Amino acid sequence: MRINIYYGGRGNLDDPTLYALKKIEKVLADDFKVEVHRYNIYEQKNQISTLPQTLKNVDGIILATTVEWLGIGGYMTQFLDACWLYGDKEKFESIYMQPVVMSTTYGEREGVLELKKAWEILGGIPCDGLCGYVEDMSSFENSREYSHIIEKMTENMFRTISHKMKGLPTSNQAVSRTVARPQQLNLTPEEGEQLSEYVSDDIFVKQQREDVMELASIYSKQMGDEFSDEADEYVNDFVNHFHPQGVDVNYSLIIEGREKPLFIGVHGDVIDCHFGEEEDINFTGKLPARVLDQIVSGRKTFQGAFSLSHMTARGELSSLSLLDKLFVFDA
């Protein structure tokens, strides 16, 4: 059995999470003969995007961090982002994860829940977490009771992984398949590894950004007038096909390739439609311009685009069905 540990703290000598990890490593290696590898994320902060490659051929992982003032910390968040963007999610489905969160202030339980939720959305299997508040480091290290608790939690994790125990389905897993479905790049695992290596190369990323900015400047000069006409056309399409439903709701449509989202505010029989950032949004959708063209031409509905994964959405799904009633586009 192989277990990787990913430590997202800052490596301070008085970090209680490091003490807990030391006990966990000893139990796994000495008592259960588990192959254990620890990755201190702060030591690899310039290569975080390549860390998901280390998740291959592991049976379980431990995500460990320390709440020093708020949340699980930046290093752990960056690692989870890298898993979402560059990790092989098919591999995650068979990997168990135990969260270990110690706090010197407040929020250790929230930290455990956040790590479990993130791993579920990534498709993995979370185990029971270990968390605690440590006010005095010396008393924490010298307590036999605390040491016994850490050892028992480690034993429970080992049993969970060795017996391949399953849990009931969760809503977080459902969200990852529907509303929070990302725009897929359709990359092979090998291509994903190569892309993550490119992302970790600061010189390569800087050059790519400069090239993109240069191309964007050229494109905007050539297409400025045409883009403005298209933007006005979308606004007119929604205004001309508005069918009041006696509701108050605000929509924001993020159109790929457009600098600003399309805001659609409905207040009874009054509509406010323009490009720009607004607050109090009830429903946000993201879709390519070609899909929106199909919708306003009457060849597709918003619900149809969402069901076919041509549009991602965030907000109440009832607002999605209402969108097709408020704006009826005839073919």
Side-chain angles (χ1 to χ4, degrees), residues 24-85:
I24 291 172
E25 288 175 304
K26 180 176 177 59
V27 172
L28 290 175
D30 295 347
D31 297 349
F32 299 110
K33 309 305 179 184
V34 174
E35 182 181 352
V36 182
H37 296 272
R38 190 209 294 185
Y39 296 89
N40 296 323
I41 302 177
Y42 70 90
E43 295 177 347
Q44 305 184 48
K45 56 185 177 182
N46 294 327
Q47 291 83 35
I48 291 179
S49 58
T50 64
L51 282 179
Q53 300 175 26
T54 62
L55 288 165
K56 291 184 176 181
N57 303 319
V58 300
D59 301 288
I61 65 171
I62 294 173
L63 298 182
T65 190
T66 306
V67 179
E68 295 182 341
W69 72 284
L70 180 67
I72 60 175
Y75 291 135
M76 183 59 69
T77 300
Q78 290 182 59
F79 172 69
L80 292 171
D81 284 345
C83 291
W84 177 256
L85 293 171

Side-chain angles (χ1 to χ4, degrees), residues 155-212:
E155 292 176 11
N156 291 338
M157 178 193 182
F158 176 80
R159 293 192 185 96
T160 299
I161 297 175
S162 61
H163 291 89
K164 303 294 182 183
M165 296 181 181
K166 299 294 183 180
L168 294 174
T170 67
S171 58
N172 290 331
Q173 295 168 338
V175 166
S176 67
R177 296 191 298 267
T178 54
V179 178
R181 183 181 299 148
Q183 191 72 24
Q184 295 293 335
L185 296 176
N186 296 322
L187 300 176
T188 65
E190 291 77 14
E191 290 172 333
E193 289 183 13
Q194 188 176 24
L195 178 60
S196 66
E197 291 174 358
Y198 283 143
V199 171
S200 65
D201 188 335
D202 293 338
I203 298 177
F204 176 82
V205 171
K206 182 179 180 181
Q207 183 62 49
Q208 290 297 303
R209 287 175 177 170
E210 292 176 353
D211 292 344
V212 170

Side-chain angles (χ1 to χ4, degrees), residues 73-119:
Y75 291 135
M76 183 59 69
T77 300
Q78 290 182 59
F79 172 69
L80 292 171
D81 284 345
C83 291
W84 177 256
L85 293 171
Y86 312 115
D88 185 353
K89 297 183 181 60
E90 291 184 0
K91 296 288 185 181
F92 295 166
E93 294 177 357
S94 60
I95 299 178
Y96 290 81
M97 187 280 296
Q98 182 186 48
V100 175
V101 181
M102 294 295 167
S103 170
T104 57
T105 53
Y106 172 82
E108 68 279 358
R109 294 182 182 274
E110 290 79 0
V112 166
L113 291 175
E114 188 172 353
L115 291 177
K116 292 178 69 174
K117 179 173 66 174
W119 194 246

Side-chain angles (χ1 to χ4, degrees), residues 71-300:
I72 60 175
Y75 291 135
M76 183 59 69
T77 300
Q78 290 182 59
F79 172 69
L80 292 171
D81 284 345
C83 291
W84 177 256
L85 293 171
Y86 312 115
D88 185 353
K89 297 183 181 60
E90 291 184 0
K91 296 288 185 181
F92 295 166
E93 294 177 357
S94 60
I95 299 178
Y96 290 81
M97 187 280 296
Q98 182 186 48
V100 175
V101 181
M102 294 295 167
S103 170
T104 57
T105 53
Y106 172 82
E108 68 279 358
R109 294 182 182 274
E110 290 79 0
V112 166
L113 291 175
E114 188 172 353
L115 291 177
K116 292 178 69 174
K117 179 173 66 174
W119 194 246
E120 285 178 335
I121 293 178
L122 285 168
I125 310 169
C127 301
D128 291 337
L130 173 65
C131 65
Y133 166 71
V134 178
E135 184 177 10
D136 180 50
M137 189 62 189
S138 60
S139 60
F140 178 65
E141 290 179 334
N142 296 324
S143 173
R144 292 186 178 181
E145 292 182 355
Y146 295 156
S147 178
H148 181 70
I149 291 173
I150 295 173
E151 292 173 357
K152 285 299 180 182
M153 291 295 294
T154 306
E155 292 176 11
N156 291 338
M157 178 193 182
F158 176 80
R159 293 192 185 96
T160 299
I161 297 175
S162 61
H163 291 89
K164 303 294 182 183
M165 296 181 181
K166 299 294 183 180
L168 294 174
T170 67
S171 58
N172 290 331
Q173 295 168 338
V175 166
S176 67
R177 296 191 298 267
T178 54
V179 178
R181 183 181 299 148
Q183 191 72 24
Q184 295 293 335
L185 296 176
N186 296 322
L187 300 176
T188 65
E190 291 77 14
E191 290 172 333
E193 289 183 13
Q194 188 176 24
L195 178 60
S196 66
E197 291 174 358
Y198 283 143
V199 171
S200 65
D201 188 335
D202 293 338
I203 298 177
F204 176 82
V205 171
K206 182 179 180 181
Q207 183 62 49
Q208 290 297 303
R209 287 175 177 170
E210 292 176 353
D211 292 344
V212 170
M213 291 178 65
E214 182 179 356
L215 290 173
S217 177
I218 296 173
Y219 179 81
S220 62
K221 291 179 181 178
Q222 294 177 346
M223 304 297 292
D225 294 338
E226 181 180 345
F227 174 82
S228 179
D229 293 340
E230 289 179 355
D232 292 339
E233 182 180 356
Y234 286 135
V235 171
N236 293 333
D237 284 330
F238 280 91
V239 172
N240 294 333
H241 293 82
F242 176 50
H243 293 259
Q245 301 292 318
V247 297
D248 293 340
V249 61
N250 291 330
Y251 295 94
S252 179
L253 297 182
I254 301 173
I255 307 169
E256 295 179 5
R258 301 296 190 266
E259 183 179 355
K260 296 181 179 180
L262 177 62
F263 171 77
I264 307 170
V266 176
H267 305 284
D269 57 355
V270 177
I271 179 175
D272 176 16
C273 187
H274 63 269
F275 279 88
E277 300 281 354
E278 298 291 345
E279 298 180 351
D280 298 327
I281 301 298
N282 303 108
F283 182 89
T284 301
K286 182 179 180 180
L287 71 172
R290 59 178 178 79
V291 175
L292 184 57
D293 290 338
Q294 293 173 344
I295 293 175
V296 299
S297 63
R299 291 176 290 160
K300 183 177 292 185

